[in-house]
Amino acid sequence: MTTTLIKNGTVVTATDSWRGDIFIDDETITQLGVAIDRQADQVIDASGRLVIPGGIDVHTHMDLPFGGTVSSDDFETGTIAAAHGGTTTIVDFAVQDRGQSMRKAWDTWMGKAEGKAAIDYGFHMIMREFNPELGREMKDMVGEGVTSFKLFMAYPGVFMMDDAGIFAAMQRSGEVGATICMHAENGGVIDVLVKQALERKQTDPKYHAITRPARAEAEATHRAIALAEMANVPVYIVHLTASEALAMVTEARDRGVPAYAETCPQYLFLDYTNYEEPGFSGAKYVMSPPLRAREKQDDLWRGLAGDDLQIVSTDHCPFCIKEKELGLGDFSKIPNGAPGVETRLSLLHDGGVRTGRISLHRWVQICSTAPAKMFGMFPKKGTIAPGSDADIVIWDPEKVLKLSHETLHMRCDYNPYEGRTVVGAPEVVLSRGRVVVDKGTFKGKPGSGRYLRRAPRAI
Ligand code: URP
Ligand code: ZN
Ligand code: ZN
C-alpha cells in the first residue's frame, strides 16, 4: 500500500478553504490536518498552490458514432487529455440503438472504456425509444450504476423521441430513482428551418446557428420541465445555451420544481460571430445547441453565480477538420460537436474566478462537487474529506497556459480557443492516490480508470 502526503497547500472545497496537509492511504484520503507529522512513501509539496478535488465532467462523448463518423477521442486519448486539464472523472453517454437492449449498449460502452480509460468513468444511457421492455431494463441499468437517462427533443430520425415516449420514459425514470437528462431543442421546428435554408442555398456553417433559434431551445426546455413535473421526476437540462431557456429553468426552480441545468465553457467564452470566420472555419464551432450572442452570456454567468445553473460540463465531442468537411456545401451534414474536456477548469478559473464572476468555492462546486452530488458520486468523488477517493489536483493559480491544439492533448486538429491565453492550470493530478499528471507529463496508465457504479438520486 502506497502512502502519500500533500503538504502546505491551500485546500479549497466547495465550502471551505484552509492551509494544511492531506494524508492518503493507497487510494483514499484518510487524514486532513494543519501539520501532519507522518512518514509517507510519496511527499508532494503544494506550497503556493491550491489543492482542489479533481474535476468531474458529466458530459463527454468518447468514441461516439455520430453525424456519419465517430468522435475523434476514444477513452484512452480523451481521458488522458481530461487528466492533463485536472479532470479525474467523466460520465460519458452509452447509446441504445433502436431495437437494441440497454444491456447491449452498456456492454458496448464498457468495452470501449475498459483497458483504455486513465481516470474513473461512469455512464448515462441515451434512450432512442421507449417500450415496456426498455422500461424494465431501466431498473436493471440503475442496478448497474447507470442512474441517469438522456432523452432528445432534437435530431429527428436519429435520437429524437416524441412527447409520449419522453413522458413514459420520464415516469419510469421517476419510479426507478433515476434522473432525466434532456437535450432540449425543438427538433421539428429546426428541421423545417434547415430545409428552408438549404432550399435558399444557404449552406454555410453559420446557418447551423440561424436555423436553431434560442426560442426553439426555450420552448423545448419549458416542455421538458412541464413533462418532468407531470411525470414526477427530476430533470437536468444538458448544454443549456440560451438565456430564454434559462428563464424557464429559473421559473420552475422558483416554484420548487426539481429542475436543474448545466452549461458549457463554449457558451460562456465563444459566440455567434465565430460562425462568421472566413471560409469553412465556422464549422469548428458547429454544435447543438449553437453558440449564441455575446450580449447574452452575462445571463449565463448570473445563472451560475445564483445557482439556477448548477454545473459546467464540456459536451466534449471532437471531430477533426476532415470530418467537419462532411458538411462542405451543406451545413446540416457537419458533425455536431467540439473538443473541450481538457480546457474546462482553466477557462473557468481564468474567465470566471479571476474576473470575479464566481468565487473559488463556486468554481470547485460547479466543476466537481455539484456534478458528484447530482449524479450519485458524492462524497466518494467531488470533495476533499476523509474517506473520499484521493482524486486531487494541485493547482497553480498563476500558471499561464496558451491554448493550442498543438500543445493540448485532445485528439483533434484544431482548438476552438486557439491562441487564447488563460491563467491557472494543474501542476500535479492524482487519480485515486496515483499521480497521473506531473508538470505536464502523463504518468498514469491507460486502463487504470475504474467504472463508477453511481447511486440513485437522493430526492
Ligand atoms: O453538438 C453536440 N452537442 N454534440 C454532441 C451530441 C449532443 O447532443 O450532446
Ligand atoms: Zn445533446
Ligand atoms: Zn452531448
Side-chain angles (χ1 to χ4, degrees):
M1 184 161 87
T2 309
T3 54
T4 306
L5 180 60
I6 301 174
K7 284 202 74 66
N8 299 320
T10 300
V11 180
V12 179
T13 68
T15 49
D16 300 305
S17 172
W18 49 277
R19 265 297 292 286
D21 306 345
I22 300 171
F23 199 88
I24 299 164
D25 276 297
D26 199 23
E27 302 190 344
T28 309
I29 298 168
T30 52
Q31 192 184 348
L32 309 178
V34 173
I36 297 177
D37 188 15
R38 284 171 71 181
Q39 297 294 313
D41 302 321
Q42 159 174 246
V43 178
I44 300 172
D45 179 19
S47 309
R49 306 289 183 249
L50 306 179
V51 182
I52 59 171
I56 300 179
D57 188 345
V58 291
H59 192 149
T60 67
H61 301 282
M62 308 300 175
D63 201 359
L64 173 73
F66 189 47
T69 179
V70 180
S71 62
S72 56
D73 265 318
D74 63 15
F75 279 83
E76 181 169 330
T77 59
T79 56
I80 290 173
H84 276 282
T87 286
T88 52
T89 300
I90 60 166
V91 185
D92 204 89
F93 291 83
V95 183
Q96 176 257 335
D97 280 338
R98 287 214 175 78
Q100 189 200 56
S101 67
M102 287 197 266
R103 171 72 55 184
K104 174 88 172 40
W106 185 67
D107 284 347
T108 303
W109 258 262
M110 289 291 277
K112 284 174 189 266
E114 200 172 343
K116 289 193 157 189
I119 56 171
D120 291 352
Y121 56 94
F123 294 117
H124 313 277
M125 179 66 66
I126 289 177
M127 296 180 70
R128 294 192 203 228
E129 59 193 342
F130 182 79
N131 57 46
E133 183 47 36
L134 289 171
R136 277 188 287 279
E137 272 206 294
M138 287 171 84
K139 192 169 167 57
D140 299 344
M141 286 297 108
V142 169
E144 299 290 8
V146 179
T147 55
S148 39
F149 298 92
K150 183 178 178 188
L151 310 177
F152 286 78
M153 299 171 125
Y155 303 127
V158 183
F159 287 132
M160 188 168 125
M161 276 167 71
D162 65 15
D163 286 355
I166 287 171
F167 183 64
M170 282 180 162
Q171 280 185 321
R172 183 64 181 150
S173 190
E175 283 165 12
V176 300
T179 296
I180 289 292
C181 299
M182 184 62 81
H183 181 127
E185 288 185 291
N186 186 316
V189 167
I190 289 165
D191 222 25
V192 171
L193 293 175
V194 168
K195 284 198 183 93
Q196 289 170 347
L198 292 175
E199 275 161 21
R200 290 193 291 263
K201 307 270 179 284
Q202 295 170 328
T203 60
D204 291 346
K206 71 176 180 186
Y207 291 102
H208 171 77
I210 292 169
T211 57
R212 302 184 92 92
R215 191 49 63 187
E217 186 184 339
E219 183 281 323
T221 302
H222 173 78
R223 187 160 34 103
I225 294 170
L227 294 172
E229 202 178 339
M230 290 185 279
N232 198 21
V233 66
V235 64
Y236 175 82
I237 307 295
V238 295
H239 46 44
L240 185 145
T241 75
S243 45
E244 293 86 340
L246 178 57
M248 304 299 164
V249 177
T250 305
E251 185 275 334
R253 290 178 61 77
D254 288 349
R255 288 190 295 112
V257 173
Y260 308 94
E262 64 175 21
T263 190
C264 310
Q266 52 270 32
Y267 303 120
L268 297 165
F269 297 110
L270 303 171
D271 63 71
Y272 172 78
T273 59
N274 289 103
Y275 294 115
E276 295 181 325
E277 289 177 10
F280 192 61
S281 195
K284 295 175 191 166
Y285 313 95
V286 166
M287 61 190 77
S288 295
L291 304 176
R292 305 293 185 191
R294 182 155 293 264
E295 311 84 80
K296 298 291 188 98
Q297 287 175 349
D298 279 348
D299 292 335
L300 298 184
W301 283 109
R302 268 195 296 277
L304 279 173
D307 205 39
D308 284 325
L309 289 166
Q310 293 76 39
I311 290 174
V312 174
S313 66
T314 64
D315 196 8
H316 176 80
C317 189
F319 298 100
C320 291
I321 299 289
K322 192 164 69 60
E323 261 58 60
K324 290 281 184 184
E325 285 175 352
L326 290 168
L328 270 171
D330 179 350
F331 68 87
S332 72
K333 297 201 164 60
I334 301 169
N336 282 206
V341 76
E342 189 175 355
T343 45
R344 179 181 63 133
L345 291 186
S346 287
L347 282 165
L348 267 287
H349 180 270
D350 182 68
V353 177
R354 284 176 56 89
T355 55
R357 285 167 160 147
I358 52 173
S359 70
L360 267 179
H361 301 289
R362 185 69 182 149
W363 173 61
V364 170
Q365 189 169 22
I366 63 184
C367 293
S368 178
T369 315
K373 289 184 174 175
M374 183 75 65
F375 290 106
M377 296 176 277
F378 186 83
K380 192 175 163 67
K381 305 288 189 192
T383 194
I384 292 180
S388 295
D389 281 356
D391 291 356
I392 293 175
V393 179
I394 318 293
W395 185 265
D396 180 350
E398 302 301 333
K399 187 175 164 74
V400 178
L401 186 68
K402 190 159 181 197
L403 304 182
S404 166
H405 73 278
E406 283 170 9
T407 44
L408 292 165
H409 302 82
M410 298 172 283
R411 191 156 67 185
C412 191
D413 55 3
Y414 75 92
N415 189 272
Y417 309 95
E418 192 67 41
R420 182 182 179 124
T421 296
V422 288
V423 177
E427 185 169 85
V428 181
V429 180
L430 290 94
S431 163
R432 276 184 285 104
R434 306 284 181 276
V435 172
V436 288
V437 174
D438 188 10
K439 297 187 187 68
T441 303
F442 180 64
K443 301 276 188 189
K445 217 169 75 209
S448 62
R450 203 179 278 163
Y451 174 65
L452 275 165
R453 259 169 227 280
R454 296 182 293 115
R457 269 188 62 85
I459 61 163

